[in-house]
Amino acid sequence: MKNHDFKTLSKNDLADIQGMLISGYFHLKNTAYLFLKCSDQSRINQWLAVILPEISIADWGKSKPVQAVNIGFTKKGIDLFKKSISGFSQEFVDGMSEKNRARRLGDEGNSAPENWEI
């Protein structure tokens, strides 16, 4: 979806989309990443309940946000709680590094998933 395509979405639709999908946040000067590892599904659910209201949504209103919070999950992270959620596409469930998908996307050789760095 192109950036201008988001203008046709309703406010409800935009509230379900993280802000990072419509912007690279180029207007923000600093970035911080927090990588978490947890294998306890109940603790993950507790954390999600706390963090979800803080997630920056795609409906910015009249001005760009002065800060943004977004989340992402690895395939292993999704696997921990995907039984309790539904509606994800097979591509999402399989992940970007799935062998055939990586090949179709041209992620081979130096760009192969096993060579990816954070």
Side-chain angles (χ1 to χ4, degrees), residues 41 73-85 92-94:
Q41 183 174 348
F73 295 93
T74 62
K75 180 177 180 334
K76 287 181 183 179
I78 290 291
D79 287 345
L80 287 174
F81 60 90
K82 73 179 178 186
K83 291 178 184 175
S84 62
I85 53 179
F92 184 85
V93 172
D94 290 344

Side-chain angles (χ1 to χ4, degrees), residues 6 11-25 27-28 30 32 47-48 50-61 63-72:
F6 285 101
K11 284 191 171 282
N12 286 339
D13 289 335
L14 291 172
D16 284 339
I17 300 171
Q18 290 191 63
M20 69 181 169
L21 295 178
I22 65 165
S23 170
Y25 293 126
H27 66 283
L28 300 177
N30 299 297
W47 177 77
L48 282 172
V50 171
I51 196 70
L52 283 176
E54 303 301 320
I55 300 298
S56 301
I57 61 172
D59 182 9
W60 289 353
S63 61
K64 293 180 180 181
V66 295
Q67 64 183 27
V69 175
N70 293 122
I71 59 174

Side-chain angles (χ1 to χ4, degrees), residues 8-49:
T8 63
L9 296 175
S10 72
K11 284 191 171 282
N12 286 339
D13 289 335
L14 291 172
D16 284 339
I17 300 171
Q18 290 191 63
M20 69 181 169
L21 295 178
I22 65 165
S23 170
Y25 293 126
F26 298 113
H27 66 283
L28 300 177
K29 302 289 184 211
N30 299 297
T31 302
Y33 296 93
L34 176 63
F35 295 90
L36 304 172
K37 183 176 182 178
C38 181
S39 57
D40 182 334
Q41 183 174 348
S42 66
R43 293 193 70 198
I44 292 169
N45 291 341
Q46 290 171 357
W47 177 77
L48 282 172

